[in-house]
Amino acid sequence: MSRRTIITNPSPTLQEKSLPVDSAEISTTEFQVFLDDLLETMHGADGVGIAAPQVGVHKRVFVGLKGNEPHVFINPEITRASFRKVDSEEGCLSVPGIWGIVRRHRCVTVSYTDRFGNPARVRLEGLPAIVAQHETDHLEGILFIEKATRITTPPSAL
Ligand code: NI
C-alpha cells in the first residue's frame, strides 16, 4: 500500500468526468491495491472522504462513510434524495484551507458495487449523506466551491 499524491485545485484533472469501472476489473490485484491506496491516502490526510479523480484516476470510485466507518463505493448512483435539504459546511482535500456552505439533500440512497463486486444499496443521512453527495460531485468533475453559497474560511463550525 502506498499513499498517492492528492491533486489540488486548480487542475483540469479535477474537472474531468470519471468513467464507470468494468465489473471484471474489481477483483484484480491492481484494482484492490488501488482501493487500499485510496483509503490510506484519505486517512493520511485526515479526510472523511476521497474520490478516485483526486488522485488522478478517472474511475467512478470513492471512499465515503457508512455509519462511522470508511466505505468503498464503486459505480455509485444516488437513486433517491430527500426533498429536505440542509446547509453543510464543507472542505475538500483538493481545496486545502477553504471551507464553504453547500446546500445538500439531508438523506440519500446510494446504489453501488462494493469492493467484493457485490451490488449494494444504502440509505444515508447526516454526515455520510453529505460525503456521498460531495464525492459523487467529484466523479462529475465538480468541486464544492462551485456550489457553495458562501465561503467560510476559517471554518465557522456550523
Ligand atoms: Ni472533495
Side-chain angles (χ1 to χ4, degrees), residues 132-155:
Q133 291 169 82
H134 176 117
E135 304 307 335
T136 299
D137 280 348
H138 274 301
L139 305 182
E140 296 300 315
I142 298 166
L143 296 176
F144 83 95
I145 45 175
E146 297 168 51
K147 289 190 162 179
T149 52
R150 178 158 71 86
I151 296 296
T152 55
T153 305

Side-chain angles (χ1 to χ4, degrees), residues 49-51 54 90-95 134-135 138 142-144:
I50 192 168
Q54 292 181 269
E90 301 182 16
C92 179
L93 297 177
S94 291
V95 191
H134 176 117
E135 304 307 335
H138 274 301
I142 298 166
L143 296 176
F144 83 95

Side-chain angles (χ1 to χ4, degrees), residues 33 39 52 56 64 68 71 80-81 88 90 93 97 101 108-109 123 125 132 137 140 142:
V33 167
L39 281 155
N68 291 322
H71 190 74
R80 294 188 69 168
S88 80
E90 301 182 16
L93 297 177
I101 306 294
V108 291
T109 299
R123 182 179 176 276
E125 62 177 286
D137 280 348
E140 296 300 315
I142 298 166

Side-chain angles (χ1 to χ4, degrees), residues 42 48-50 62-66 69-73 128 131-132 135:
M42 184 190 84
V48 289
I50 192 168
F62 68 73
V63 178
L65 290 170
K66 188 178 164 190
E69 296 298 317
H71 190 74
V72 172
F73 295 80
V131 173
E135 304 307 335

